[in-house]
Amino acid sequence: MKKIPDQKLLYILLASLLYLTSCDSDDSETINTLNFPIKEGLEVFDGKNVYDGLILINDASANSVYLMDKTTAVIHEWNLKGKRLGNDATLLDDGRLLAMLESENPKITLGGYGGLISIMDKDGNVEWSYEYSDENHIAHHDTKMLPNGNILFLSWEKKSREEASQIGFKADTPIIYDAILEINPQTNEIVWEWHMWDHLVQDLDEAKENFNDVALNPRRIDINYLEVQNELGDVSHANGIDYDANKDLIYLSVNYYSEIWVIDHSTTSEQAKSKIGGNYNVGGDLVYRFGNPSTYKNTNGKRLFDRNHHPNLLNGEKRGNILIYSNGLNSNQSTVYELKIPENFILESNQNNEPSIIWNFTDTDLFAGRVSGADILPNGNVLITEGDFGFWEVSQKGEILWRYNTLGFFWRGYHFDYSDTAIINLDLPIN
């Protein structure tokens, strides 16, 4: 007989004891409603209140995308056919997968680079793809399918050391900054674009056209904020987008500024280069920003974020709220925030412009310095992706209900009900 290692035997005994203890309570018939297995890494603290749903998981370390239920059973895995994840992969209503993949010969290879946007069926067959990758541009991190069938994606753009100096950039390096593009997958035409480069301000070099008082220009972006400095000139490192169809606004998570930027998508591409036009008449300048008022030298607002991921706009009764994962690099402790977005966007340099906190969750054991995110469940619980650990489910009261630690590097976990259109259209043999 094969001997069980002492450490594993101890784990099995402790897990069994925990399970038997839970069954002694009055809730013994419901505590294991989902028939949770005794499994290494799986902790069930309150099984009767765990929401029974599926998680779409992107694991960059294993280069895999799969659906898992709360018992940790894998329901379906996509065959990426040798392609590597560039981070995001999300399930569309028609059951197809929209994924950011890595191009084969990238010239810009910052963490989270992609270059190849693809739509594939459940067997991994590519039905559409678009490569956006060359010496000075590359698609990266995140994508978003719009109601009209077009796709938003992030792009890094590179300028030379000389071009960077011409706009008053204080570091003696090239510069890599962010842009957002919209592509029509029927024609492969870029139909709208916004570039950070067009909306910069700096207060170091009076000889440059973009010289102005940063504190008096909160709608523009201080190119010399540089909380994170590197030889590559990676100044912003945006990592996530979401779209508000009701207001035609884009929410952009900007990691190195520890902020969310709100951008008017109702503009034309020409207006998006300027500071006039669109529904908010600010062109491509920022409609709103929040998370770190020090980026525009505002001392009246309190900083919330220390790096951030996954701007997740909520719907239904919580429409107008947003979930954000703050990585918490300085404290080594992450926090998930639910924030109330103001109905009317006011962005002044001499007042507190930050949204109000509706709910937040943190724990001494919750920390991932990279990736990660949060997704609200239909019963109000929140599914948290801790990128270097795995997944948590917590209640609105801050109770930890369920936790799963497994090997991997997890970009995000997306919740799906069994009855969701996307799951039904996948046509899987789910009992």
Side-chain angles (χ1 to χ4, degrees), residues 108 110-112 132 136-142 153-159 175-181 193-200 221 223 233-241 252-257 261 263 284:
I108 300 174
L110 304 176
Y132 193 78
N136 296 313
H137 308 84
I138 193 165
H140 67 93
H141 279 92
D142 206 3
F153 67 92
L154 298 180
S155 169
W156 277 317
E157 304 189 338
K158 185 177 181 180
K159 299 283 188 181
I175 187 170
I176 298 175
Y177 61 93
D178 278 287
I180 307 172
L181 286 82
E193 50 194 296
W194 175 90
H195 303 263
M196 175 182 166
W197 184 261
D198 298 322
H199 305 282
L200 304 178
I221 300 158
I223 191 55
D234 178 13
V235 294
S236 50
H237 205 88
N239 55 34
I241 47 177
L252 176 66
S253 172
V254 190
N255 190 260
Y256 286 180
Y257 281 70
W261 295 345
I263 297 158

Side-chain angles (χ1 to χ4, degrees), residues 124-387:
N125 299 311
V126 175
E127 297 187 356
W128 173 84
S129 67
Y130 181 80
E131 187 162 14
Y132 193 78
S133 176
D134 59 30
E135 293 282 348
N136 296 313
H137 308 84
I138 193 165
H140 67 93
H141 279 92
D142 206 3
T143 61
K144 185 70 178 180
M145 176 71 78
L146 299 178
N148 65 1
N150 292 348
I151 297 169
L152 289 177
F153 67 92
L154 298 180
S155 169
W156 277 317
E157 304 189 338
K158 185 177 181 180
K159 299 283 188 181
S160 68
R161 180 181 277 101
E162 292 71 27
E163 289 172 303
S165 176
Q166 288 169 13
I167 53 91
F169 186 49
K170 68 181 181 182
D172 186 22
T173 67
I175 187 170
I176 298 175
Y177 61 93
D178 278 287
I180 307 172
L181 286 82
E182 177 183 348
I183 186 170
N184 181 339
Q186 303 301 317
T187 63
N188 283 0
E189 177 187 4
I190 302 295
V191 296
W192 182 88
E193 50 194 296
W194 175 90
H195 303 263
M196 175 182 166
W197 184 261
D198 298 322
H199 305 282
L200 304 178
V201 66
Q202 53 85 25
D203 55 11
L204 297 181
D205 190 340
E206 295 184 23
K208 302 298 188 288
E209 289 185 5
N210 64 346
F211 175 80
N212 215 318
D213 186 344
V214 168
L216 297 179
N217 288 269
R219 296 193 186 278
R220 296 183 80 79
I221 300 158
D222 180 7
I223 191 55
N224 291 316
Y225 176 67
L226 298 185
E227 186 172 80
V228 181
Q229 301 187 44
N230 53 76
E231 295 179 354
L232 299 172
D234 178 13
V235 294
S236 50
H237 205 88
N239 55 34
I241 47 177
D242 206 354
Y243 176 70
D244 183 346
N246 292 325
K247 295 185 176 182
D248 205 5
L249 293 171
I250 298 168
Y251 285 70
L252 176 66
S253 172
V254 190
N255 190 260
Y256 286 180
Y257 281 70
S258 292
E259 279 190 299
I260 304 296
W261 295 345
V262 183
I263 297 158
D264 188 356
H265 178 258
S266 75
T267 58
T268 65
S269 292
E270 282 302 311
Q271 290 172 331
K273 294 178 182 178
S274 73
K275 55 183 179 180
I276 57 172
N279 292 341
Y280 295 84
N281 200 31
V282 296
D285 279 0
L286 303 184
V287 174
Y288 185 53
R289 67 196 304 174
F290 60 93
N292 181 14
S294 66
T295 59
Y296 55 102
K297 301 183 179 180
N298 184 343
T299 59
N300 292 293
K302 181 180 177 181
R303 178 170 177 172
L304 286 177
F305 305 154
D306 179 10
R307 310 292 185 85
N308 44 275
H309 283 81
H310 198 187
N312 185 0
L313 294 166
L314 305 184
N315 292 304
E317 294 180 356
K318 289 184 173 287
R319 182 178 296 278
N321 294 2
I322 189 170
L323 285 178
I324 304 291
Y325 189 101
S326 175
N327 295 88
L329 286 187
N330 288 317
S331 63
N332 287 333
Q333 190 168 340
S334 301
T335 303
V336 176
Y337 289 101
E338 180 184 343
L339 305 173
K340 178 68 176 178
I341 300 167
E343 184 64 29
N344 298 309
F345 296 111
I346 299 173
L347 195 53
E348 301 291 346
S349 57
N350 58 355
Q351 70 174 37
N352 177 16
N353 302 306
E354 298 303 300
S356 56
I357 300 173
I358 301 299
W359 177 88
N360 68 88
F361 175 83
T362 190
D363 187 272
T364 53
D365 289 335
L366 181 68
F367 175 65
R370 304 174 292 171
V371 297
S372 310
D375 204 3
I376 200 159
L377 308 183
N379 68 347
N381 292 351
V382 175
L383 173 70
I384 299 172
T385 304
E386 182 186 348

